[in-house]
Every structure is written in C-alpha cells, then in structure tokens.
C-alpha cells in the first residue's frame, strides 16, 4: 500500500513538473498599459524588454530592481546602445534588493515615493522566474495593485526548471521534493 501511494505521489510530481515546464508565461499583451514597469535583474534581456516597454509608452516610469550598487545610469545607457534621454527622465535604479522577496519590497518603497500612489505594475522577469516573482509581489501588494506579467522568453535548463518547480511546491503546499 505504501509503495502504491509513493508511486502515485511520484507520478503526480512528474506530471506537475511537466505541466510547470510546458506552461511558462509569455510576454504581456501589447495593448496593456501600467503606471510603473519593474524589471528584476538577474537574467538576460530583462532590462532590454522593460526599456522597450517604456519606450513604447506602456508605462510612465521604470524601476530596475536589484541592480548592483556600482551600476550607474551611464552603464544602462551603454548597455542599451543609447536611449540616454529615456533613461535620464524615466528610469530609476534600485540597489536595495538581493532576492525576489526584497525586489517586491523595494518596489513597494519606490512606488510609495512616487506622485501616483496607485496604478498597475508591469512586472518584467524571465518566464521561469515569473511564478515566484508574482507570488512575492502579490504578497507585498495584496489587492492594492494589478500586476501585469511580462515574461521574457528563455530556454531554461532542466536544473533551473527543477529548482523553480520545487520552490513553487514549497510556496503553495509546504512540500519540498528532491532538494
């Protein structure tokens, strides 16, 4: 009996992992607009996609959360191959956060300092990271703001997907498997 329960649990785990890996979120609908765009550092093309959204008028301000304290606006302009006027007027570098949870907390502090105390948030991060980021942002903001997910499409490794899936299980069910 125990063997059957363990086999059933393993089958559920494998099917869930397959679902998780094949249902990664996509970039946001192009018609969607928000007050703030937040790019979480730590992966390729996140900053570029967020700046493109800002340039397209999808938001009024951009926070690059979790930037290294040594990074300057000039570094961002150089990385983007220009767009100095856009970066100077509308981009803020946040260097207080070190993980996804503190990214959300840093974003809340940044938004509390803005002239517009409400409004939607356009959240930009990697597709494999979006579930965790959305969880942390919803935990911090509750129902106060709508969070629009704008996933950067990637080709994550098995290891990254496995780790994120286990973190998702831990958050949702208090279960950690395989780590």
């Amino acid at each position: 009996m125990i063997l059957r329960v363990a086999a059933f649990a393993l089958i559920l785990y494998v099917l869930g992992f397959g679902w998780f890996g094949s249902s990664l979120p996509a970039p946001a609908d192009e018609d969607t607009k928000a007050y703030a765009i937040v790019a979480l550092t730590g992966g390729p093309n996140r900053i570029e996609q967020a700046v493109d959204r800002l340039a397209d008028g999808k938001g009024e301000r951009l926070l690059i959360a979790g930037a290294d304290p040594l990074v300057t606006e000039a570094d961002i302009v150089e990385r983007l191959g220009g767009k100095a006027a856009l970066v100077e007027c509308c981009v803020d570098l946040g260097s207080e956060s070190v993980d996804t949870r503190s990214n959300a907390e840093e974003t809340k502090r940044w938004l509390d300092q803005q002239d517009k105390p409400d409004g939607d948030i356009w959240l930009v991060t990697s597709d494999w990271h979006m579930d965790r980021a959305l969880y942390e942002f919803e935990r911090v903001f509750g129902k106060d703001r709508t969070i629009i997910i704008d996933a950067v499409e990637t080709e994550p490794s098995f290891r990254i997907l496995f780790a994120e899936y286990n973190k998702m299980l831990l958050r949702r069910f208090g279960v950690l498997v395989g780590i």
Side-chain angles (χ1 to χ4, degrees):
M1 180 65 176
I2 292 174
L3 187 58
R4 287 182 184 159
V5 170
F8 182 70
L10 179 63
I11 289 169
L12 283 179
Y13 177 82
V14 170
L15 289 173
F17 180 71
W19 168 82
F20 179 79
S22 64
S23 65
L24 296 175
D29 179 13
E30 292 298 320
D31 294 333
T32 309
K33 291 188 178 184
Y35 167 69
I37 301 170
V38 179
L40 306 185
T41 58
N45 301 320
R46 295 177 185 186
I47 294 171
E48 292 80 0
Q49 184 164 312
V51 169
D52 287 346
R53 300 304 190 235
L54 183 65
D56 292 342
K58 302 300 179 190
E60 297 175 31
R61 297 207 55 81
L62 166 62
L63 171 66
I64 300 174
D68 187 296
L70 300 176
V71 172
T72 65
E73 284 185 4
D75 296 327
I76 299 298
V77 170
E78 182 180 330
R79 177 176 176 164
L80 299 172
K83 300 185 182 180
L86 183 65
V87 171
E88 187 176 314
C89 87
C90 306
V91 176
D92 297 310
L93 296 174
S95 58
E96 299 170 16
S97 54
V98 295
D99 59 14
T100 309
R101 176 173 291 154
S102 59
N103 284 151
E105 293 164 350
E106 178 178 39
T107 300
K108 177 140 178 43
R109 286 189 298 276
W110 175 75
L111 284 168
D112 288 345
Q113 296 171 358
Q114 303 298 309
D115 293 336
K116 189 171 181 178
D118 57 2
D120 297 342
I121 301 169
W122 191 298
L123 179 60
V124 180
T125 190
S126 300
D127 50 8
W128 56 266
H129 183 245
M130 188 59 77
D131 183 75
R132 181 164 32 125
L134 185 60
Y135 172 83
E136 294 297 347
F137 272 70
E138 287 176 341
R139 186 185 63 77
V140 168
F141 288 101
K143 304 269 186 220
D144 295 343
R145 296 178 187 263
T146 300
I147 300 167
I148 302 159
I149 60 172
D150 188 23
V152 176
E153 294 180 323
T154 65
E155 294 182 15
S157 68
F158 179 82
R159 183 188 61 79
I160 287 173
L161 282 178
F162 183 72
E164 284 300 315
Y165 179 63
N166 280 296
K167 290 173 188 174
M168 185 267 303
L169 289 176
L170 181 60
R171 280 190 308 277
R172 293 197 177 153
F173 307 111
V175 175
L176 187 63
V177 181
I179 294 182

